[in-house]
């Protein structure tokens, strides 16, 4: 029986695992053999040695699963780095899972059930340069995955992933790529506007629209978004909502801010819910096309979920036949990454607005950040499928609710 | 804490340790006798200042839980889940394999037999004084109220999985195979109930890691002797629990520092990774959920006792 690095127990949601170098022995008649073991956990996934397998086996009496199996056999990894990367990617894939912010549920899907058209206008456009490059990176990853296989003893082959560059040389292209992602999110928000009397739901929507508008100004996308080619479609999508007599004044004002872009410095005075940009991303729903590309439940998928899913598995951008959907998903992914970077001290918040090549700088920094999130190791399709599964936990309801 | 009936084996073991220590270092014997008294007082929650005893300041049962799972735990209708409950709610990554007699089941059977608790009802916790529990099992430590633990609760002086690993493996196996009868004998030997064995069992563990010198043991050393790193006193709880049973939640200084480091880097650069940002957000959501449930979160900065 082949010795390999194998997982003793793992909790992908929590981001920890115990592992040991051994033959497969979790299901045999004999008790597991003793040997040195290691522990890996979020946030840094640095392996630490534990003196025996006892803590790892004991962890499987709680939230952690016992071992990792494909078919009837335990999975093995040929290096500890590969095992560590599997645990990390499984955790990152589920970044958008779990409760949404402070317990607020995700915005409701559009009336009519949200079919392929999603009840919203899909802005037709050719993918911008940066977005095309993201999809090409995904295709590169997908190609590497296809070339990998599990051995007879279920030990995973693996390959390094070297992401191709995605940064356009032209600042205008950079801004257009970022604005495309913002436009996709704006459409999704408008399609989920609720004219319900439920004040909490209206407040959630208002807050989401406000934070998206503030983000667009902070990213310096005033020209690309409010004077860009997609705005007309956005106005058309909002027409029905603006004409609805039951939309309240506050929501109508937020909608106007999003459509008209008058508040050029909105990001300065917009009351952020927190200092965490992930909260904004969790407030922005995505349409069904984007959710499908990312492998998420469209009813609860958000920009945060898309960021997590595509950071863990960029090959998803290239495995869908719907190229328009892939472009939209790549745009949302890029916008989400840029939002995080634009908040960071790296970027000097607001710099994108003041510099003539601000959008380009932001794009470059977002691309560098994306490159650090993407897989360091790729696995055969069967294991990549497990990482995909880690992304699918519903956002607004942990499976443990109602136990 | 009163003992009823004949002295427990643990009281005899404690006496043996004191006798052995006296032989090895006669000059330190008075300090060891005094240490046992201190350990007992600390376990009871007796204040060295006022002399009053408050069980809520003494040893209690703790369960570690990852921040990712706290919102579900704290939700109305939630609760702490063992593996049987988790299995009923969600599928694992990969194939769901449930060997009928895997190591966990074998241990559950032995401990269930000793404690009289049905296997599906067993929830494994740890005895804790002033620390943040067993960090490996989760970055938050839920400390139960003193009254949430019954006198018949079973304790083991170590992780019960030590029964399958060397050197105890030789005593729980026959010709290389798990022997439930022998395992039960050994498990009984390393266990006891809360009301009869807590003090001598914990005192044995603490003294085993303390130097046998002419100096008094400190509260911090007692706390670390009870639970340190992956070495703990296992508690077999007979049922799940919810927020009503929780006295407070603790998190370690190390995790709090890591969280702050991530936040500081977010403010000043370089931008943290998505895994780090996700972890920080999960911890914040966990604290929000605990606050809504009326549970205070405390960062443990040292093993010393909080002033009563």
């Amino acid at each position: 029986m082949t010795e390999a690095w194998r997982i003793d127990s793992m909790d992908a949601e929590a981001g920890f695992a115990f592992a040991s170098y051994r033959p497969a022995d979790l299901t045999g008649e004999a008790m597991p053999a003793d040997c040195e073991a290691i522990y890996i956990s979020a946030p840094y996934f640095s392996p630490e040695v534990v003196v025996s397998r006892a803590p790892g086996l004991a962890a499987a009496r709680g939230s952690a699963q016992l071992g990792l199996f494909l078919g009837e056999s335990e999975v093995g990894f040929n290096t500890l780095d590969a095992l560590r990367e599997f645990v990390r990617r499984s955790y990152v894939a589920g970044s958008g899972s779990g409760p949404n912010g402070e317990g607020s549920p995700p915005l409701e899907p559009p009336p009519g059930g949200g079919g392929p058209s999603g009840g919203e206008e899909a802005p037709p456009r050719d993918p911008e340069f940066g977005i095309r490059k993201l999809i090409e990176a995904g295709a590169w990853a997908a190609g590497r995955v296809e070339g990998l296989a599990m051995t007879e003893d279920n030990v995973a082959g693996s390959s390094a992933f070297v992401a191709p560059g995605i940064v356009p040389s032209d600042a205008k292209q950079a801004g257009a790529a970022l604005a495309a992602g913002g436009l996709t999110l704006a459409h999704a928000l408008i399609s989920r506007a609720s004219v319900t009397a439920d004040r909490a739901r209206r407040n959630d929507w208002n807050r989401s629209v406000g934070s998206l508008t503030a983000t667009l100004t902070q990213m310096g996308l005033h020209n690309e978004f409010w004077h860009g080619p997609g705005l007309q479609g956005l106005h058309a999508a909002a027409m029905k909502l603006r004409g609805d007599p039951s939309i309240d004044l506050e929501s109508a004002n937020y909608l106007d801010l999003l459509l008209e872009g008058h508040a050029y410095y909105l990001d300065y005075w917009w009351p952020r819910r927190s200092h965490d940009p992930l909260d904004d991303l969790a407030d922005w729903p995505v349409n069904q096309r984007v959710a499908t590309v990312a492998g998420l439940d469209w009813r609860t998928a958000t920009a945060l979920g898309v960021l997590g899913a595509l950071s863990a598995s960029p090959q998803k951008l290239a495995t869908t036949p719907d190229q328009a959907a892939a472009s939209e998903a790549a745009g949302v992914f890029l916008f989400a990454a840029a939002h995080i970077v634009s908040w960071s001290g790296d970027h000097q918040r607001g710099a994108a607005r003041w510099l003539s090549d601000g959008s380009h700088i932001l794009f470059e920094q977002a691309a560098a950040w994306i490159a650090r999130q993407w897989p360091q190791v790729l696995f055969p399709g069967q294991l990549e499928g497990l990482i995909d599964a880690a992304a699918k936990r519903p956002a607004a309801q942990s499976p443990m609710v109602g136990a | 804490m009163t003992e009823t009936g004949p002295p427990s084996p643990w009281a005899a073991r404690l006496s043996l340790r004191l006798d052995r220590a006296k032989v090895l270092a006669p000059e330190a014997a008075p300090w060891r006798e005094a240490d046992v008294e201190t350990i007992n007082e600390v376990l009871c929650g007796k204040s060295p200042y006022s002399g009053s005893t408050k069980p809520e300041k003494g040893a209690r049962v703790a369960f570690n839980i990852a921040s990712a799972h706290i919102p579900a735990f704290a939700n109305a209708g939630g609760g702490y889940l063992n593996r049987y409950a988790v299995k009923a709610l969600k599928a694992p990554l990969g194939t769901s394999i449930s060997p009928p007699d895997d190591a966990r089941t074998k241990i559950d059977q032995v401990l269930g037999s000793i404690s009289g608790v049905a296997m599906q009802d067993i929830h494994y916790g740890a005895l804790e004084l002033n620390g943040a529990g067993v960090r490996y099992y989760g970055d938050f430590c839920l400390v139960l109220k003193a009254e949430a633990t019954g006198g018949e609760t079973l304790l083991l002086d170590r992780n019960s999985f030590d029964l399958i690993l060397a050197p105890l493996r030789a005593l729980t196996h026959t010709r290389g195979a798990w022997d439930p009868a022998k395992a039960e004998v050994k498990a009984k030997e390393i266990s006891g109930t809360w009301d009869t064995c807590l003090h001598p069992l914990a005192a044995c563990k603490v003294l085993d890691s303390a130097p046998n010198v002419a100096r008094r043991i400190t509260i911090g050393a007692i706390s670390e002797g009870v639970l340190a790193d992956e070495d703990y006193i296992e508690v077999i709880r007979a049922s799940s629990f919810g927020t009503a049973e929780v006295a407070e939640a603790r998190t370690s200084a190390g995790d709090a520092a890591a969280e702050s480091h991530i936040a500081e880097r977010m403010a000043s650069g370089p931008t943290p990774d998505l895994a780090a940002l996700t972890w920080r957000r999960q911890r914040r959501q966990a604290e929000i959920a605990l606050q809504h449930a009326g549970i205070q979160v405390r960062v443990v900065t040292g093993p010393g006792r909080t002033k009563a």
Side-chain angles (χ1 to χ4, degrees), chain B residues 195-280:
Chain B
D195 58 3
T196 60
C197 299
L198 169 65
H199 286 188
L201 187 155
C204 284
K205 187 175 187 295
V206 171
L207 291 178
D208 283 350
S209 58
N212 185 19
V213 295
R215 300 185 78 86
R216 288 291 298 275
I217 195 170
T218 65
I219 307 299
I222 294 172
S223 189
E224 286 177 341
V226 165
L227 192 160
D229 198 28
E230 51 188 285
D231 187 15
Y232 57 94
I233 293 171
E234 193 170 273
V235 179
I236 312 316
R237 184 179 163 87
S239 63
S240 179
F241 62 91
T243 54
E245 283 83 21
V246 175
E248 67 169 350
R250 299 175 187 169
T251 189
S252 71
D255 281 330
E259 188 181 343
S260 295
H261 178 82
I262 293 166
E264 205 287 326
R265 288 294 176 265
M266 190 65 210
S268 310
T271 314
D273 291 340
L274 183 56
L277 292 172
T278 298
W279 182 76
R280 179 183 76 144

Side-chain angles (χ1 to χ4, degrees), chain A residues 150-228:
Chain A
M150 307 292 287
T151 67
E152 275 181 17
D153 282 342
N154 232 13
V155 177
S158 59
S159 168
F161 171 57
V162 181
I166 66 171
V167 184
S169 54
D170 183 321
K172 211 169 159 188
Q173 285 177 333
L178 291 170
L183 200 59
T184 301
L185 290 173
H187 272 281
L189 266 173
I190 287 173
S191 76
R192 295 201 182 195
S194 174
V195 294
T196 175
D198 184 331
R199 179 134 194 93
R201 286 200 187 281
R202 290 210 311 268
N203 284 346
D204 287 342
W205 187 83
N206 294 347
R207 183 184 66 218
S208 301
V209 171
S211 64
L212 180 63
T213 310
T215 297
L216 290 164
T217 66
Q218 180 171 303
M219 286 191 188
L221 297 177
H222 198 79
N223 286 335
E224 292 85 352
F225 188 86
W226 283 289
H227 299 281

Side-chain angles (χ1 to χ4, degrees), chain A residues 134 181 303 306-312 314 317 328-338 369-370 373-374:
Chain A
L134 278 171
V306 171
L307 181 66
L310 296 182
S311 292
L317 287 169
E328 283 189 302
V332 168
F333 174 65
L334 177 63
F335 188 87
W369 186 82
I370 288 170
Q373 314 318 307
W374 267 348

Side-chain angles (χ1 to χ4, degrees), chain A residues 113-311:
Chain A
S117 67
E120 62 200 57
E121 294 291 323
R125 54 185 182 274
D126 291 328
E128 302 295 340
F129 177 89
I131 289 174
R132 278 206 310 276
K133 283 297 178 184
L134 278 171
I135 298 173
E136 283 176 20
W140 197 95
R144 298 294 285 199
V145 167
E146 270 194 38
L148 296 169
M150 307 292 287
T151 67
E152 275 181 17
D153 282 342
N154 232 13
V155 177
S158 59
S159 168
F161 171 57
V162 181
I166 66 171
V167 184
S169 54
D170 183 321
K172 211 169 159 188
Q173 285 177 333
L178 291 170
L183 200 59
T184 301
L185 290 173
H187 272 281
L189 266 173
I190 287 173
S191 76
R192 295 201 182 195
S194 174
V195 294
T196 175
D198 184 331
R199 179 134 194 93
R201 286 200 187 281
R202 290 210 311 268
N203 284 346
D204 287 342
W205 187 83
N206 294 347
R207 183 184 66 218
S208 301
V209 171
S211 64
L212 180 63
T213 310
T215 297
L216 290 164
T217 66
Q218 180 171 303
M219 286 191 188
L221 297 177
H222 198 79
N223 286 335
E224 292 85 352
F225 188 86
W226 283 289
H227 299 281
L231 197 70
Q232 198 174 0
L234 196 65
H235 274 270
M239 193 70 69
K240 190 177 174 187
L241 183 63
R242 287 176 109 176
D244 191 320
S246 46
I247 187 172
D248 71 62
L249 184 61
E250 199 177 348
S251 294
N253 286 341
Y254 279 109
L255 187 60
D256 281 345
L257 277 177
L258 178 63
L259 294 173
E260 308 298 336
H262 294 310
Y264 193 65
Y265 304 107
L266 181 67
D267 60 309
Y268 279 121
W269 53 267
W270 173 250
R272 295 281 182 184
R273 186 149 67 92
S274 72
H275 292 286
D276 188 346
L278 298 194
D279 280 346
D280 291 334
L281 298 181
D283 276 347
W284 301 332
V286 298
N287 64 41
Q288 185 170 9
R289 292 182 297 278
V290 170
T292 302
V293 169
L296 302 173
D297 184 340
W298 68 270
R299 288 163 295 198
T300 53
T302 65
L304 180 58
V306 171
L307 181 66
L310 296 182
S311 292

Side-chain angles (χ1 to χ4, degrees), chain B residues 31-44:
Chain B
W31 274 267
R32 295 292 79 73
E33 298 282 350
D35 284 346
V36 170
E37 193 57 35
T38 302
I39 293 168
N40 288 345
E41 289 177 356
V42 168
L43 291 173
C44 285

